[in-house]
Amino acid sequence: EIETGHGSFGLFQDVAGINKYLQDEDATRALFDVTQKTDPALATQCFIIVEDLLVARGEYALCLSYIPDRAAKFAGICRAWEMDKRFASGNGVMKKADFLESAENRFVEKTRQLIETLVGSGHKAEAEAIRDQAIALSDDARLKSAVTGVENRANK
């Protein structure tokens, strides 16, 4: 279906999930290549599914091509974090330290991932600006070391 340009987000998500279970991330990466060629609009939708994989592989330029507005991307990360915190505070069952810690971890990891993408693609000043905005929201040590951590890994 995807190879003929008749795929869907759900189908891509299902195949990526199966590949992850089978520990065959290369197959998901190849499927994303096919999707980019046969259905660029679907590839844009599916980027969210492969973003972690692409960043882990250092494919920063490709990632950046799917993040045209980095400020909006960071704002979305912040909105998701705020929603998680509001949900936890308004839900007696979810008002647990574990859920709030998980929300904080998602915020930090997604922010670090964006920073890594920016540094890795030569946009260090923009990465530092996002890091500084994130630190103003959360005094997490992992945010403070985000830019230098990426640079240190790149220099090895």
Side-chain angles (χ1 to χ4, degrees), residues 33 67 90 125:
D33 281 340
I67 309 172

Side-chain angles (χ1 to χ4, degrees), residues 16-94:
I18 292 166
N19 289 340
K20 187 170 187 165
Y21 177 78
L22 296 173
Q23 299 179 345
D24 191 0
E25 300 288 0
D26 290 340
T28 298
R29 179 65 185 86
L31 181 64
F32 189 65
D33 281 340
V34 169
T35 307
Q36 289 182 96
K37 291 176 187 148
T38 61
D39 192 343
L42 179 59
T44 299
Q45 293 173 10
C46 295
F47 171 69
I48 192 168
I49 296 169
V50 296
E51 183 177 9
D52 293 350
L53 173 62
L54 296 174
V55 171
R57 291 180 175 206
E59 296 187 51
Y60 305 121
L62 178 60
C63 288
L64 209 56
S65 73
Y66 285 94
I67 309 172
D69 186 341
R70 280 79 83 169
K73 171 83 169 175
F74 180 64
I77 293 167
C78 293
R79 275 192 308 277
W81 183 44
E82 288 301 322
M83 283 182 9
D84 282 347
K85 291 190 298 183
R86 276 196 308 274
F87 182 73
S89 67
N91 184 328
V93 175
M94 295 305 291

